[in-house]
Amino acid sequence: MHDLHTVAASSRAAYLTLADADANARNRALLAMADALLAEKEHLFSENAKDIEDAKQSNLPAPLLKRLSFGEEKLRSVVQGLRDLAALPDPLGHTTLARELTEGLKLYRVTCPIGVIGVIFESRPDALVQIASLALKSGNAVLLKGGREAAKTNLALCNVLRNAAEKTGLPADFAQLLTSREEVSEMLKEDELIDLIIPRGSKAFVRYIMDNSRIPVLGHADGICHVYLDRSADPAMAVRVAVDSKIQNVSVCNAMETLLVHREIAPVVLPDLAEAYAQAHVDLVGDEETVSLIHCQPASEEDWSTEYLDYRLSIRIVNSLDEAIDHINRYGSHHTDCIVTSDDAAASVFLRRVDSAGVYRNVSTRFADGFVYGFGAEVGIATGKIHARGPMGVEGLTTYKYKLLGSGQTMTDVKAGRLTYTHRNLEEACPL
Amino acid sequence: MHDLHTVAASSRAAYLTLADADANARNRALLAMADALLAEKEHLFSENAKDIEDAKQSNLPAPLLKRLSFGEEKLRSVVQGLRDLAALPDPLGHTTLARELTEGLKLYRVTCPIGVIGVIFESRPDALVQIASLALKSGNAVLLKGGREAAKTNLALCNVLRNAAEKTGLPADFAQLLTSREEVSEMLKEDELIDLIIPRGSKAFVRYIMDNSRIPVLGHADGICHVYLDRSADPAMAVRVAVDSKIQNVSVCNAMETLLVHREIAPVVLPDLAEAYAQAHVDLVGDEETVSLIHCQPASEEDWSTEYLDYRLSIRIVNSLDEAIDHINRYGSHHTDCIVTSDDAAASVFLRRVDSAGVYRNVSTRFADGFVYGFGAEVGIATGKIHARGPMGVEGLTTYKYKLLGSGQTMTDVKAGRLTYTHRNLEEACPL
């Protein structure tokens, strides 16, 4: 690997070429990547076997081994993902505003790629393919840094994608792999060449990146998701949603970590819930009132702001909808929060006032996902407020530019009253 | 002023109330502000007179004194601005995506405010009114730090706006004024309470803010704007656009700083341009070839990346459209750049490949402005790629949340095949 400045400059050149490539060229590259992954599968599997062997030697826990493995099933899934992505509409070149400013002067706001994006992700090789392909579809170049446990698999995958892109005439450097922490540190300094950093990881990790770069950061940080069972919740639905949100997959960011229950419904639903959670071996901690109703340990203040990612749940009884909303806005991570209620007015207040990327009514928090939303896949789930929120698919990887088409208009003419603003909205796409 | 954490917490509470206020309430407050500014004008003028007196004592240059003054004309302008803003459509509550995910489960993406925004701006009191009113229209709370020369005027203006908001039932703390650099330093640390910082100032200042906060920053930094006279430019239009872009107002970020001229047209247009610039007392610096054609000093490498904000212009002769684009992408600040050409193909390449927020054809760069674009006003002109680009009006101050409305759907049912994704786009607004 050359020095990072040279690498980033090469990404920038690749981006400027990609941004100018038409949708067919980008989609052809995606399909070529799918074919190449299938053709090279034996090599990919054997490189993955080496990573797995190394990981076993260093006693990596079983769930992490499962994420690290890249076999037939994950291959089929990423190949299908590439083909689905190729079939999605082009996110670039859309006119989202068209307006006549003054006679003969037309303003267009047109979607375009962001540029060069650095993505730091966990030891899950299929993530590399998803991220690189979303970037290419949206005309961006990416610098990729995966978990070191997946080093050999990532290198093999990245080379297959780069070669496939190059064979269809697009620059191989649309995706470049970083292999060391030092390179990540160097990357964070290249704010003239890199437009965005997407770190996937813990809140502490995302903060570390923010503290060490002036490049904008879209953090995919922790998910302290809540389900609030309103007093008018249907009890059977309350149990179903609260159980699924917790136990369908405990180790993901959209799993519930805290359950809030309205006092009036607590005696009705908590016993059933406690039984369901006991069957699934979920450890419960609760506030004083919860402890008085069901068998569970007392929760500490720290529990309310902890992402367990495990078979553990904190439960709190609240006196009102407002108290539930205040708890979520105070302790939550602005990821995804759900109200279970049959009351439209309560649902409306919750959806408006809870300050999170996803606000749900009567549905498991596990639905917060780019694939589920129909975005093809996601480069991350943004918990900040700026640019993109929630699951970030190709749309989240675009920005826009203003194109202004005139015929010699000057501000001097405006100031002299020879031109006046019309500000007439137009129904047309930018012709250039 | 209390400690900054308390101040920011109060802004956050104000934002949560504002975000829940309907458009009528916000528009009523804007109209009340307009009336209150008129009613309090004598007090405002007398406070401004004190600022002006202090500024004269410290020998503030005349152009800065002009920006600092707040008299009848600026009052009329901000009052009209408030009334125009009240009449603009509500930027909140728009459904920008509606999709059925599976039977009975509907996803809506709905626009909402960002939250608490810190804005640091220059000594121009009318900017305070514009920023605070754009924030209120879009449901955000602002922490305002203006230039210290305008301290008394800003305090008086902010109090008028706060009182007017409060009288119409909205929280006064939607706008709070910071008065010291120490408070700005404290503000930069409040990343749990503040969602966005908009610093208006030099590139060095914007970088300082980025280096000292993990809050996202939308920089309104320097404008190194270019006009490129293509070989197929109409000579008269080329001169008109190049002159207006430079001299109509030299001290603003959308004024041209570098003129690029295709070699073939240089002998035709440069003599006329040199004469026009001489009449306007613009000092010219140029590359070797320009120096050989017209009377000007040689440019240094530094000139190409300097924002003069003055009666000074750098000129460079290029061999091709590509050379012009490469120069702009290398030395420019991604603000606004223009091509003058009668060739559609050349225009199309320029507009696609120049990596700037505004890409213009045949029109003065001076049109890059929120008022000109019909956005009411602007809180800044963003030169980054993330979130908003170019003039930021109320739309740039909004984000979105995903509202998902279900009837008890679980991921367990999806995985068991009892539910399948339909991903059917809908033509409807979110009902809640």
Side-chain angles (χ1 to χ4, degrees):
Chain A
M1 176 70 70
H2 302 86
D3 77 289
L4 216 282
H5 184 78
T6 310
V7 171
S10 182
S11 290
R12 184 135 214 105
Y15 143 61
L16 289 169
T17 303
L18 262 192
D20 212 26
D22 68 15
N24 287 336
R26 285 177 276 117
N27 291 333
R28 260 198 316 273
L30 293 173
L31 295 174
M33 286 174 188
D35 295 343
L37 287 172
L38 289 173
E40 299 282 338
K41 75 177 188 177
E42 295 312 331
H43 175 60
L44 296 171
F45 293 165
S46 88
E47 292 302 295
N48 187 244
K50 293 178 195 166
D51 280 333
I52 295 278
E53 191 49 43
D54 291 348
K56 281 181 179 163
Q57 300 267 341
S58 27
N59 294 311
L60 204 70
L64 294 186
L65 275 180
K66 194 177 153 200
R67 290 165 79 111
L68 178 58
S69 81
F70 187 80
E72 286 285 359
E73 194 187 341
K74 285 199 190 160
L75 176 68
R76 259 199 310 277
S77 162
V78 297
V79 164
Q80 189 58 49
L82 283 164
R83 289 171 178 165
D84 290 348
L85 190 59
L88 279 184
D90 187 16
L92 306 180
H94 290 281
T95 300
T96 59
L97 175 84
R99 181 175 288 166
E100 182 194 78
L101 299 188
T102 183
E103 202 187 328
L105 184 64
K106 291 182 177 182
L107 178 73
Y108 302 90
R109 189 174 60 201
V110 181
T111 61
C112 63
I114 289 174
V116 179
I117 303 174
V119 188
I120 306 160
F121 56 103
E122 65 280 18
S123 294
R124 193 162 65 76
D126 43 330
L128 183 144
V129 181
Q130 288 166 353
I131 295 164
S133 59
L134 287 166
L136 185 119
K137 175 83 181 186
S138 51
N140 296 284
V142 270
L143 290 164
L144 300 157
K145 173 66 175 70
R148 65 186 161 74
E149 295 83 1
K152 294 190 177 71
T153 319
N154 282 342
L155 182 62
L157 283 169
C158 194
N159 280 335
V160 169
L161 301 184
R162 286 167 52 87
N163 291 337
E166 197 160 37
K167 275 187 190 153
T168 64
L170 294 183
D173 282 347
F174 90 94
Q176 296 191 84
L177 194 66
L178 308 188
T179 52
S180 70
R181 284 197 188 183
E182 291 66 42
E183 286 173 334
V184 171
S185 299
E186 291 301 308
M187 173 172 80
L188 299 181
K189 296 177 193 159
E190 296 293 340
D191 60 294
E192 298 277 346
L193 293 173
I194 301 173
D195 298 292
L196 177 65
I197 302 283
I198 302 177
R200 312 193 341 174
S202 67
K203 188 168 174 175
F205 173 66
V206 171
R207 282 178 165 241
Y208 165 81
I209 299 290
M210 289 173 165
D211 285 345
N212 287 282
S213 185
R214 58 168 75 105
I215 304 172
V217 172
L218 283 190
H220 168 106
D222 45 356
I224 301 175
C225 300
H226 300 76
V227 173
Y228 163 59
L229 307 179
D230 190 38
R231 63 174 166 188
S232 69
D234 171 78
M237 188 191 290
V239 172
R240 194 159 72 240
V241 169
V243 168
D244 191 79
S245 296
K246 182 68 227 175
I247 69 166
Q248 200 276 326
N249 186 346
V250 298
S251 64
V252 288
C253 63
N254 60 18
M256 168 178 63
E257 305 294 6
T258 300
L259 177 69
L260 302 171
V261 186
H262 193 284
R263 164 163 293 120
E264 289 179 24
I265 201 175
V268 184
V269 295
L270 277 183
D272 287 353
L273 274 168
E275 201 184 312
Y277 288 134
Q279 278 180 19
H281 307 286
V282 177
D283 289 332
L284 304 180
V285 297
D287 66 344
E288 228 172 282
E289 203 168 346
T290 304
V291 170
S292 76
L293 285 172
I294 57 172
H295 177 71
C296 72
Q297 298 298 312
S300 69
E301 174 70 13
E302 209 187 329
D303 276 299
W304 310 124
S305 44
T306 300
E307 183 184 28
Y308 303 123
L309 295 176
D310 207 341
Y311 286 90
R312 189 176 169 91
L313 174 72
S314 56
I315 304 181
R316 183 174 185 172
I317 290 173
V318 296
N319 292 305
S320 64
L321 173 61
D322 280 351
E323 206 179 305
I325 293 170
D326 290 347
H327 179 101
I328 294 169
N329 285 341
R330 179 168 172 195
Y331 295 104
S333 66
H334 313 294
H335 189 297
T336 301
D337 301 290
C338 174
I339 182 173
V340 180
T341 185
S342 57
D343 177 353
D344 283 353
S348 175
V349 169
F350 184 93
L351 297 182
R352 275 182 295 125
R353 291 196 38 219
V354 168
D355 200 16
S356 298
V359 285
Y360 286 17
R361 180 191 189 183
N362 297 343
V363 54
S364 166
T365 56
R366 289 278 295 116
F367 283 79
D369 176 274
F371 174 75
V372 173
Y373 284 8
F375 298 167
E378 66 196 25
V379 287
I381 295 189
T383 51
K385 302 280 195 75
I386 303 307
H387 193 78
R389 264 185 123 176
M392 269 181 81
V394 287
E395 237 181 283
L397 293 177
T398 64
T399 178
Y400 53 77
K401 51 168 73 169
Y402 287 101
K403 297 186 177 184
L404 185 62
L405 309 184
S407 43
Q409 286 82 356
T410 63
M411 192 51 73
T412 305
D413 281 339
V414 172
K415 299 289 178 187
R418 290 187 292 269
L419 287 177
T420 51
Y421 295 120
T422 51
H423 288 159
R424 191 164 59 87
N425 285 334
L426 309 169
E427 294 291 332
E428 60 185 50
C430 182
L432 289 179
Chain B
M1 178 67 69
H2 301 87
D3 78 288
L4 216 280
H5 184 77
T6 311
V7 171
S10 182
S11 290
R12 185 135 213 105
Y15 143 62
L16 289 169
T17 304
L18 262 191
D20 212 25
D22 69 15
N24 287 336
R26 285 177 275 120
N27 291 332
R28 262 198 314 274
L30 293 172
L31 296 174
M33 287 174 185
D35 295 343
L37 288 172
L38 288 172
E40 299 282 339
K41 73 177 192 178
E42 294 311 330
H43 175 60
L44 296 171
F45 293 165
S46 88
E47 291 303 294
N48 186 244
K50 292 178 197 167
D51 279 335
I52 295 279
E53 188 51 41
D54 290 348
K56 281 181 180 163
Q57 298 265 341
S58 28
N59 294 313
L60 205 69
L64 295 185
L65 274 179
K66 195 177 154 200
R67 290 164 81 111
L68 178 57
S69 81
F70 186 80
E72 286 285 0
E73 194 187 343
K74 286 200 191 159
L75 175 67
R76 259 199 310 277
S77 160
V78 297
V79 164
Q80 190 57 49
L82 284 164
R83 291 173 177 161
D84 290 347
L85 191 58
L88 280 184
D90 187 16
L92 305 180
H94 290 280
T95 300
T96 58
L97 175 84
R99 180 175 292 167
E100 183 194 75
L101 300 188
T102 181
E103 202 186 327
L105 184 63
K106 292 181 178 181
L107 178 73
Y108 302 91
R109 189 173 60 200
V110 181
T111 61
C112 63
I114 289 174
V116 179
I117 303 174
V119 188
I120 307 160
F121 56 102
E122 64 280 19
S123 294
R124 193 162 65 76
D126 42 331
L128 183 144
V129 181
Q130 289 167 354
I131 295 163
S133 58
L134 287 167
L136 184 120
K137 174 84 182 185
S138 51
N140 297 285
V142 270
L143 291 164
L144 300 157
K145 173 65 174 70
R148 65 186 162 75
E149 295 84 359
K152 296 190 176 73
T153 317
N154 282 343
L155 183 61
L157 283 169
C158 193
N159 280 334
V160 169
L161 301 184
R162 287 167 51 87
N163 292 337
E166 197 159 38
K167 276 188 191 152
T168 64
L170 293 182
D173 282 347
F174 89 93
Q176 296 192 84
L177 195 65
L178 308 187
T179 53
S180 70
R181 285 195 187 182
E182 291 67 40
E183 286 173 335
V184 171
S185 298
E186 291 302 309
M187 171 171 80
L188 299 182
K189 295 175 194 160
E190 296 292 341
D191 60 294
E192 298 276 348
L193 294 172
I194 301 174
D195 298 292
L196 178 66
I197 302 282
I198 303 177
R200 315 201 326 181
S202 67
K203 187 168 176 177
F205 174 66
V206 171
R207 283 178 162 239
Y208 166 81
I209 299 291
M210 289 174 167
D211 285 344
N212 287 281
S213 184
R214 58 170 75 106
I215 304 172
V217 173
L218 283 188
H220 169 105
D222 44 357
I224 301 177
C225 300
H226 300 76
V227 173
Y228 163 59
L229 308 179
D230 189 39
R231 65 174 165 188
S232 69
D234 171 79
M237 188 191 289
V239 171
R240 195 159 72 239
V241 169
V243 168
D244 191 79
S245 296
K246 182 67 225 177
I247 70 168
Q248 199 278 325
N249 187 346
V250 297
S251 64
V252 288
C253 63
N254 60 17
M256 169 179 62
E257 305 294 7
T258 298
L259 177 68
L260 302 171
V261 186
H262 193 283
R263 164 164 292 120
E264 288 179 27
I265 202 177
V268 183
V269 294
L270 277 182
D272 285 354
L273 274 169
E275 200 184 314
Y277 288 135
Q279 277 179 19
H281 306 288
V282 177
D283 289 333
L284 304 181
V285 298
D287 67 344
E288 226 173 283
E289 202 169 343
T290 305
V291 171
S292 76
L293 284 173
I294 57 172
H295 177 70
C296 72
Q297 298 298 314
S300 69
E301 174 72 11
E302 208 188 330
D303 277 299
W304 310 124
S305 46
T306 300
E307 183 184 30
Y308 303 123
L309 295 176
D310 207 342
Y311 287 90
R312 189 176 170 92
L313 176 71
S314 56
I315 305 179
R316 183 173 186 174
I317 290 172
V318 296
N319 292 307
S320 65
L321 171 62
D322 280 351
E323 204 179 309
I325 293 169
D326 289 346
H327 178 102
I328 294 169
N329 285 342
R330 177 166 174 197
Y331 294 104
S333 66
H334 313 294
H335 188 298
T336 301
D337 301 290
C338 175
I339 182 173
V340 180
T341 186
S342 55
D343 176 354
D344 282 353
S348 176
V349 170
F350 184 92
L351 297 182
R352 277 182 294 125
R353 292 199 35 220
V354 168
D355 199 16
S356 298
V359 283
Y360 287 16
R361 179 191 189 183
N362 297 342
V363 54
S364 166
T365 57
R366 289 278 295 115
F367 283 79
D369 176 273
F371 174 75
V372 173
Y373 283 8
F375 298 166
E378 67 195 24
V379 288
I381 295 189
T383 50
K385 300 280 193 78
I386 302 307
H387 193 77
R389 263 185 122 176
M392 269 182 80
V394 287
E395 238 180 284
L397 293 177
T398 64
T399 178
Y400 53 77
K401 50 168 72 170
Y402 287 100
K403 298 187 176 183
L404 185 62
L405 309 185
S407 44
Q409 285 82 358
T410 63
M411 192 51 72
T412 305
D413 281 340
V414 172
K415 300 287 179 188
R418 291 187 292 271
L419 286 177
T420 50
Y421 295 120
T422 51
H423 289 159
R424 189 164 60 86
N425 285 334
L426 309 169
E427 294 290 332
E428 61 186 48
C430 183
L432 290 177

